């Protein structure tokens, strides 16, 4: 009895390599198949010999059509693998542009009142001085115009002042804060200029109001 279980492989130039198994037949064949899609072949009914064809309709009456997919069906997704270690931090990017100024927020609640501070010492002082104011002479000598001032004590400054005269023919021409030593304006004393138009010698008194700075 003659047994034949293997036949010479038939190589068909089609594309990538694929292996065809003839289930229930007596022949196996290795063919070059397309890289994707479906492989079509015709197997002889008598001995199982294969030949590659472009489609199932190309088989003869003494052949049966065979076809199989190049790629199998996708399998189920496998379980997720463990998370990999964290990569190193990337370099800092460039600074962004400055945003627009936001709207002003609501006022916060008033804070508690602080402790009372030490009382300020004003150090009020009222120095004064009297000055002679002779009557105007026949030829304008004396002129009848005299200046006098009262300085504040050291460390104090003037905040006000005034003048009083002794006769009805005296006229106040100027009254202002001075530097305390000359007729120049300042904050260290009070000065006044008075004119006497009468025939009697008179006096005037200058007053200053001085405080601690």
């Amino acid at each position: 009895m003659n047994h034949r279980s293997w036949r010479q492989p038939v190589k068909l130039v089609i594309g990538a390599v694929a292996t065809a198994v003839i289930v229930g037949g007596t022949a196996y064949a290795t063919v070059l198949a397309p890289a994707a899609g479906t492989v079509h072949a015709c197997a002889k009914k008598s001995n199982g010999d294969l030949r590659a064809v472009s489609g199932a309709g190309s088989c003869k009456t003494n052949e049966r059509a065979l076809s199989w997919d190049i790629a199998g069906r996708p399998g189920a997704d496998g379980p997720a693998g463990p998370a990999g270690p964290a990569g190193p931090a990337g370099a800092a990017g460039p600074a962004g542009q400055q945003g627009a100024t936001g709207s002003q927020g609501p006022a916060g609640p008033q804070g508690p009142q602080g402790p009372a501070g030490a009382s300020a010492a004003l150090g009020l002082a009222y120095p004064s001085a009297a000055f002679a104011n002779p009557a105007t002479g026949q030829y304008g000598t004396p002129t009848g115009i005299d200046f006098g001032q009262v300085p504040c004590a050291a460390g104090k400054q003037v905040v006000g002042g005034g003048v009083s005269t002794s006769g009805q023919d005296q006229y106040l021409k100027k009254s202002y804060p001075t530097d305390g030593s000359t007729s120049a304006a300042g904050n260290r004393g009070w000065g006044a200029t008075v004119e006497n138009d009468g025939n009697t010698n008179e006096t005037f008194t200058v007053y200053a109001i001085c405080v601690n700075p």
Side-chain angles (χ1 to χ4, degrees):
M1 185 174 178
N2 187 14
H3 297 280
R4 297 173 60 190
S5 58
W6 294 88
R7 295 189 62 84
Q8 181 69 26
V10 178
K11 295 183 179 179
L12 303 176
V13 179
I14 298 175
V17 176
T19 300
V21 179
I22 308 303
V23 179
T26 59
Y28 298 86
T30 299
V31 298
L32 295 175
T38 303
V39 175
H40 298 280
C42 296
K44 283 187 178 182
K45 296 178 181 179
S46 60
N47 56 17
D49 284 348
L50 293 177
R51 67 184 182 89
V53 293
S54 60
S58 302
C59 294
K60 300 176 182 179
T61 58
N62 64 340
E63 295 175 328
R64 59 177 175 172
L66 297 175
S67 63
W68 60 92
D69 293 334
I70 296 300
R73 294 179 180 178
D77 294 339
Q97 295 180 348
Q98 183 175 355
T101 302
S103 57
Q104 183 175 356
Q110 182 176 355
Q113 183 175 355
S119 299
L122 291 178
L124 281 170
Y126 306 95
S128 63
F131 301 91
N133 189 203
T136 305
Q138 183 176 0
Y139 299 103
T141 303
T143 62
I145 300 174
D146 293 288
F147 171 80
Q149 68 171 329
V150 177
C152 293
K156 295 182 181 294
Q157 65 183 27
V158 71
V159 293
V163 181
S164 66
T165 58
S166 61
Q168 62 181 3
D169 293 327
Q170 291 174 285
Y171 303 96
L172 178 64
K173 300 179 69 69
K174 294 180 181 180
S175 179
Y176 59 96
T178 66
D179 62 6
S181 58
T182 69
S183 59
N187 65 350
R188 301 303 303 277
W190 196 268
T193 300
V194 178
E195 181 176 359
N196 183 1
D197 283 345
N199 297 321
T200 305
N201 294 337
E202 303 290 350
T203 61
F204 63 91
T205 302
V206 179
Y207 302 87
I209 303 174
C210 302
V211 297
N212 292 332

